[in-house]
Each structure stands twice: as structure tokens, then as C-alpha cells.
Amino acid sequence: MNEELVLEDKIIGSAKRVFLEKGFEKAKMQEIADTAGISRTALNYYFRTKDNLFYSIVNQIFDGLLPRFEQVLEKQNQTFSERIADLVDTYNEFLRANPDIPFFIISEINRNPPLLAGFIQNSKKINGYLSFLKKMLDTTQKPEGVNYVFQMPIEELITLFYGLIFMPYVISPIVKELYSNDGERIAEYYDHHADNVKFMLKKLIVDAN
């Protein structure tokens, strides 16, 4: 990675930290520059506005996710349960490496809904990602002998899925407190939670005869 890309990545990480602390509206470009250890002039050279920084953060999140989903989609002849399990594992792995992402997204949804909603509506990348999810679920093998006991719209399934996956990371300070900041026990908790999500989704949606 060349120096410019390294610096851009550092700026994006600094902006994420400032947005998490202050929220998008209250965050100042000078604070982001100070956090990144660069001048305001240098910051303006790479990202002229806070909006550009925010969009770069969201794009970076999806850039990290999409290749993982492509690997899941490449697996052929999976049952619905197997594909759901793969999706849960993919998210669990991604969020373990990027635990601040759910809190960042939910914080901005609460602080400035139009900003994130408008970006989602206008982003070809995110709309492509949502279409990708629908395709992934629509192309899943549905063998005989399986009844889908809770027929929900795909949009409801997606929001249910995210709610179950994201929440333990959103409340990570509570999780750390409950497990006395024991890293090994916390890691086990997240693994157990992923298994519980698979179990709940399977019981809710699929009833194998």
C-alpha cells in the first residue's frame, strides 16, 4: 500500500473515532485532522468535507464485507440453514475484527437519520449489496421435506438478522463488564452468541420434517 493510501486509511480511522465520540454534526474537521496528526490543509486535500469522510467510512465497511459474501455465494447447493449459518459466521468474523462498526452505524442512525438514509438510498454499492443479499437467499436450495414456518418479507428477515447479530457488539461495554474484561471468556461469548443466532433463525424460519 503506497503512502497516500496509508494516510487516507489513517484519516478515515481518525474520522470514525471522532464521529463515534462527538457524532457527525458536532465533529469538527480540525478535530479529525488533529486526531490523524496532520494539518487541516492536508485533510482538505484528501477529504474536502465531513460528508466525504462519512461516505468513505461507510464505503470502507462495505468494501470489507462484500468479498466475504462473494465467497459464501460461490458455495453451491446449500440449504437455507447452511447459508444462514455461513452468513452468521461471516458477520461474526467481520465484527470480531471491527467491533466498533455496529455502534458507529447505530449512533449515526440515531443522531442523524437523514444522512445515513439518504446515502443508503443513493449508493449504488449499498443497493448492490442489498440486492446481493436477496440473491443469496433467493438462490439457496430449498429441499423437499422442509417447511418455511414463518414466511416473512426479505426486508424483515434482513432487519431481524442484523438485530440479532449487531446487538452484542452495540452493548460491548456491558459484555466486557459482565465477563470482567476477560478476553478469552468474551471471545467464547461471541462464538456462543453466533451459535445461538443460527439456532434461533433456524427454529423461527425452518421446520424440518
Side-chain angles (χ1 to χ4, degrees):
M1 185 181 293
N2 64 42
E3 291 184 7
E4 285 199 355
L5 291 177
V6 170
L7 183 54
E8 283 186 17
D9 193 60
K10 183 179 181 181
I11 293 169
I12 290 172
S14 299
K16 189 190 297 182
R17 288 196 294 274
V18 175
F19 289 158
L20 278 170
E21 180 182 351
K22 300 290 184 66
F24 178 83
E25 291 295 336
K26 293 183 179 180
K28 305 296 183 185
M29 291 290 278
Q30 186 62 57
E31 291 177 302
I32 295 170
D34 292 343
T35 302
I38 61 174
S39 69
R40 174 68 184 273
T41 301
L43 177 60
N44 287 341
Y45 173 78
Y46 288 96
F47 302 95
R48 297 190 62 84
T49 67
K50 281 197 302 180
D51 284 31
N52 288 341
L53 272 167
F54 182 82
Y55 299 153
S56 295
I57 292 170
V58 179
N59 276 322
Q60 188 181 72
I61 291 170
F62 283 93
D63 285 342
L65 272 174
L66 287 177
R68 299 167 188 257
F69 281 112
E70 289 171 356
Q71 292 175 6
V72 174
L73 190 61
E74 285 174 359
K75 297 179 181 179
Q76 302 297 319
N77 302 320
Q78 284 188 311
T79 66
F80 194 92
S81 296
E82 289 169 339
R83 183 141 290 177
I84 287 292
D86 267 359
L87 285 174
V88 172
D89 287 337
T90 297
Y91 264 105
N92 189 47
E93 178 186 344
F94 179 75
L95 293 175
R96 290 277 286 275
N98 304 275
D100 58 333
I101 284 177
F103 189 75
F104 168 78
I105 293 174
I106 290 175
S107 295
E108 290 309 320
I109 287 174
N110 289 326
R111 288 169 174 163
N112 196 345
L115 178 70
L116 191 58
F119 179 65
I120 290 172
Q121 290 172 357
N122 296 317
S123 170
K124 292 182 179 179
K125 182 175 293 185
I126 294 180
N127 280 287
Y129 163 77
L130 293 175
S131 296
F132 189 89
L133 275 181
K134 292 179 181 180
K135 179 182 177 183
M136 182 181 295
L137 296 173
D138 288 342
T139 58
T140 300
Q141 295 293 315
K142 299 178 176 60
E144 294 181 5
V146 174
N147 297 321
Y148 291 84
V149 296
F150 191 71
Q151 298 291 341
M152 67 178 76
I154 189 67
E155 293 81 6
E156 290 184 20
L157 176 58
I158 289 173
T159 55
L160 173 66
F161 178 86
Y162 281 118
L164 291 170
I165 290 290
F166 273 26
M167 186 51 65
Y169 294 92
V170 174
I171 62 168
S172 60
I174 296 176
V175 173
K176 291 176 182 177
E177 185 67 25
L178 287 172
Y179 290 97
S180 304
N181 286 306
D182 185 325
E184 185 175 342
R185 292 177 67 204
I186 291 171
E188 289 178 355
Y189 160 76
Y190 283 115
D191 285 337
H192 291 162
H193 177 76
D195 290 338
N196 289 334
V197 171
K198 296 175 196 175
F199 177 80
M200 286 186 287
L201 288 173
K202 181 177 179 181
K203 288 296 183 182
L204 179 64
I205 300 168
V206 180
D207 178 27
N209 292 329

